């Protein structure tokens, strides 16, 4: 996200002009904009005009509006934000107080004004405008008859294509039908890969499956690339990595991202650090239960006892419409950092964030055991 102009004070009011340059920027904007903020952007509004004959006809006009935010929606499929609120600026086409929905998409600038730029807002703004924070990985998660083409960004994991094919069993006289069906399946996966994976952007392409399906597809892909002179495959063979997964479904991607060979490629990125921290938490939960806690109340008590070494939260907690609740989590993050602890804020649109959300969206690794927390009534 490009910050084209900013005029605010830390801990005070102000505004910033932003230009979303890619889909993930819109996700960051979704987390940055809160109820009560104001957003200004060029939009299209349908108005009624009276013709010379006295008849009324509808006309769509481009105009600049500023609305006070009441609701915000992120559309992952269309890569767009929809911001609904009341118009708060003088406009010849729209009355003050009239409702309007601004639609923000890529390459459409907008101005965001807040009464309070708290530390969490500044963190999101910094992350969204840091080009080094990106960790684009493409992954083909597959098993016989099923493949998901996934793009893993710094904050969002997107399934770009899902391929499902019925493959007969590999027995007796059916073996000819098996080979033919498998070949068609691999061809469909290859076409989807060529359509959705841009090797100029991704750091690596991971092909993962249980068993030998990944190896078979890899051989098929390289053979076809040579036969058809598919330069994007031939020139990027070094970026292709094979990995084991428990299935071809999206949820198996988190175990692939935690693999050592993948970690080496993305070790300096936000996504890799989050995957590692979450793995450490679950390992601790299995081996030293007194040093791993989750749930708002357990984490709060652990913080009161100055025990938190690593705090893990999902960004969804900061989108709470209740301002005191949001402030509570903002203050928790600041306090843990001030005491020398590490904080990881997970995107709820990322596979690791989805996993954390399943256990309340907040967890912590402790400096020392607090076994009595298990017995507390929370």
């Amino acid at each position: 996200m490009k910050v084209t102009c900013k005029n605010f004070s830390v801990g005070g009011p102000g505004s910033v002009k932003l230009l979303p340059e890619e889909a993930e920027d819109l996700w960051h904007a979704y987390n940055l904009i809160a109820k009560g903020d104001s957003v200004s952007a060029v939009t299209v509004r349908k108005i009624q005009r009276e013709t010379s004959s006295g008849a009324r006809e509808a006309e769509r006009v481009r105009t600049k509006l500023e609305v006070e935010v009441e609701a915000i929606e992120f559309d992952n499929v269309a890569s767009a934000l929809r911001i609904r609120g009341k118009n708060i600026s003088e406009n010849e086409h729209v009355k003050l107080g009239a409702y309007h929905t601004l639609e923000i998409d890529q390459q459409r600038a907008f101005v965001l004004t807040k009464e309070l730029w708290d530390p969490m807002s500044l963190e999101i703004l910094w992350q969204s405008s840091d080009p080094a924070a990106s960790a684009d990985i493409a992954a083909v998660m597959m098993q016989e008859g099923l493949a998901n083409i996934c793009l893993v960004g710094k904050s969002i994991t997107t399934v770009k294509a899902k391929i499902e094919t019925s493959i007969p069993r590999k027995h007796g006289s059916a073996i000819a039908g098996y080979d033919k069906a498998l070949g068609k399946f691999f061809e469909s996966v290859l076409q989807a890969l060529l359509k959705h994976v841009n090797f100029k952007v991704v750091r690596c392409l991971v092909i993962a499956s249980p068993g030998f399906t990944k190896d078979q597809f890899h051989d098929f892909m390289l053979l076809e690339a040579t036969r058809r002179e598919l330069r994007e495959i031939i020139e990027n063979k070094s970026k292709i990595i094979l990995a084991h997964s428990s299935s071809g479904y999206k949820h198996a991607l988190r175990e692939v991202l935690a693999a050592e060979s993948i970690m080496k490629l993305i070790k300096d990125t936000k996504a890799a650090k989050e995957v590692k921290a979450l793995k450490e938490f679950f390992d601790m939960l299995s081996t030293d239960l007194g040093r791993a806690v989750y749930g708002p109340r357990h984490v709060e008590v652990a913080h009161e006892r100055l025990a938190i070494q690593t705090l893990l939260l999902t960004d969804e907690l900061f989108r709470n419409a209740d301002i005191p609740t949001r402030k509570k989590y903002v203050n928790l993050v600041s306090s843990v950092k001030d005491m020398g602890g590490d904080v990881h804020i997970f995107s709820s649109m990322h596979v690791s964030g989805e996993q954390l959300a399943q256990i309340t969206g907040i967890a912590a690794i402790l400096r020392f055991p607090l076994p009595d927390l298990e017995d507390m009534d929370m």
Side-chain angles (χ1 to χ4, degrees), residues 95-222:
K95 294 178 181 177
L96 283 171
Y99 276 98
H100 184 79
T101 298
L102 295 173
E103 183 158 312
I104 308 294
D105 48 23
Q106 295 174 58
Q107 302 302 326
R108 181 173 294 186
F110 66 95
V111 175
L112 169 64
T113 302
K114 286 178 172 288
E115 288 300 316
L116 174 66
W117 283 91
D118 61 32
M120 195 66 244
S121 299
L122 296 173
E123 178 81 7
I124 296 169
L125 184 63
W126 174 81
Q127 285 182 9
S128 66
S129 57
D130 177 19
S134 182
D136 291 310
I137 298 171
V140 181
M141 305 300 298
M142 64 193 313
Q143 61 191 53
E144 281 196 1
L146 171 69
N148 283 285
I149 311 292
C150 304
L151 293 182
V152 184
K154 55 194 171 188
S155 301
I156 302 178
T157 302
T158 308
V159 177
K160 301 300 290 185
K162 183 176 183 180
I163 300 95
E164 288 185 284
T165 304
S166 178
I167 306 233
R169 293 187 176 184
K170 191 178 180 180
H171 292 301
S173 59
I175 193 165
Y178 169 86
D179 290 338
K180 185 177 180 181
L182 191 65
K184 282 187 176 181
F185 169 61
F186 284 166
E187 176 61 27
S188 298
V189 176
L190 177 58
Q191 291 303 320
L193 188 156
L194 292 171
K195 179 179 179 181
H196 295 291
V197 176
N198 182 353
F199 282 99
K200 293 178 181 177
V201 174
V202 301
R203 294 191 179 200
C204 65
L205 167 66
V206 181
I207 303 172
S209 78
F212 297 102
T213 306
K214 61 184 180 298
D215 305 273
Q216 291 173 296
F217 173 69
H218 182 246
D219 292 343
F220 171 87
M221 180 176 65
L222 294 184

Side-chain angles (χ1 to χ4, degrees), residues 88-367:
I88 58 172
S89 61
E90 294 285 347
N91 188 283
E92 62 175 307
H93 303 297
V94 185
K95 294 178 181 177
L96 283 171
Y99 276 98
H100 184 79
T101 298
L102 295 173
E103 183 158 312
I104 308 294
D105 48 23
Q106 295 174 58
Q107 302 302 326
R108 181 173 294 186
F110 66 95
V111 175
L112 169 64
T113 302
K114 286 178 172 288
E115 288 300 316
L116 174 66
W117 283 91
D118 61 32
M120 195 66 244
S121 299
L122 296 173
E123 178 81 7
I124 296 169
L125 184 63
W126 174 81
Q127 285 182 9
S128 66
S129 57
D130 177 19
S134 182
D136 291 310
I137 298 171
V140 181
M141 305 300 298
M142 64 193 313
Q143 61 191 53
E144 281 196 1
L146 171 69
N148 283 285
I149 311 292
C150 304
L151 293 182
V152 184
K154 55 194 171 188
S155 301
I156 302 178
T157 302
T158 308
V159 177
K160 301 300 290 185
K162 183 176 183 180
I163 300 95
E164 288 185 284
T165 304
S166 178
I167 306 233
R169 293 187 176 184
K170 191 178 180 180
H171 292 301
S173 59
I175 193 165
Y178 169 86
D179 290 338
K180 185 177 180 181
L182 191 65
K184 282 187 176 181
F185 169 61
F186 284 166
E187 176 61 27
S188 298
V189 176
L190 177 58
Q191 291 303 320
L193 188 156
L194 292 171
K195 179 179 179 181
H196 295 291
V197 176
N198 182 353
F199 282 99
K200 293 178 181 177
V201 174
V202 301
R203 294 191 179 200
C204 65
L205 167 66
V206 181
I207 303 172
S209 78
F212 297 102
T213 306
K214 61 184 180 298
D215 305 273
Q216 291 173 296
F217 173 69
H218 182 246
D219 292 343
F220 171 87
M221 180 176 65
L222 294 184
L223 187 66
E224 290 300 306
T226 303
R227 189 174 69 83
R228 302 184 211 172
E229 296 186 354
L230 301 174
R231 305 307 305 174
E232 57 265 61
I233 300 293
I234 296 168
E235 293 171 2
N236 291 284
K237 285 193 290 186
S238 61
K239 288 186 175 183
I240 300 171
I241 298 173
L242 303 185
H244 172 78
S245 67
S246 57
S247 76
Y249 291 94
K250 178 190 171 186
H251 65 77
L253 186 56
R254 57 177 174 255
E255 68 198 48
V256 173
L257 292 178
E260 190 175 336
S261 58
I262 310 302
M263 270 289 183
K264 286 179 181 177
L265 293 169
I266 61 171
K267 61 184 178 182
D268 297 325
T269 66
K270 178 177 179 288
K273 290 172 184 174
E274 290 171 0
V275 169
K276 184 180 179 183
L278 193 61
K279 183 178 185 299
E280 287 176 359
F281 170 78
F282 280 110
D283 288 346
M284 192 70 73
L285 201 60
S286 301
T287 59
D288 192 354
L289 188 59
R291 286 189 58 205
V293 298
Y294 62 91
R297 184 61 185 141
H298 281 86
V299 171
E300 187 179 331
V301 172
H303 178 57
E304 289 169 359
R305 298 184 188 181
L306 310 180
I308 294 180
Q309 175 182 306
T310 306
L311 179 65
L312 299 78
L313 315 91
T314 64
D315 54 18
E316 200 163 356
L317 297 174
F318 300 96
R319 291 200 298 272
N320 199 301
D322 182 50
I323 301 301
T325 300
R326 175 186 163 87
K327 284 184 177 178
K328 180 181 78 171
Y329 288 119
V330 170
N331 292 336
L332 174 63
V333 167
S334 298
S335 182
V336 169
K337 286 182 177 179
D338 289 344
M339 290 189 294
D342 295 322
V343 177
H344 297 280
I345 298 169
F346 292 67
S347 167
S348 54
M349 290 286 286
H350 209 285
V351 282
S352 54
E354 290 172 1
Q355 191 177 11
L356 181 59
Q358 291 171 3
I359 55 166
T360 74
I362 182 168
I365 299 171
L366 308 184
R367 292 188 171 94

Side-chain angles (χ1 to χ4, degrees), residues 53-74:
S53 62
R56 299 182 67 82
E57 60 180 28
E59 181 185 351
R60 295 172 69 85
V61 296
R62 285 174 63 85
T63 186
K64 188 173 183 179
L65 284 182
E66 183 177 11
V67 301
E68 183 176 330
V69 179
E70 292 190 11
I72 180 167
E73 173 193 342
F74 174 66

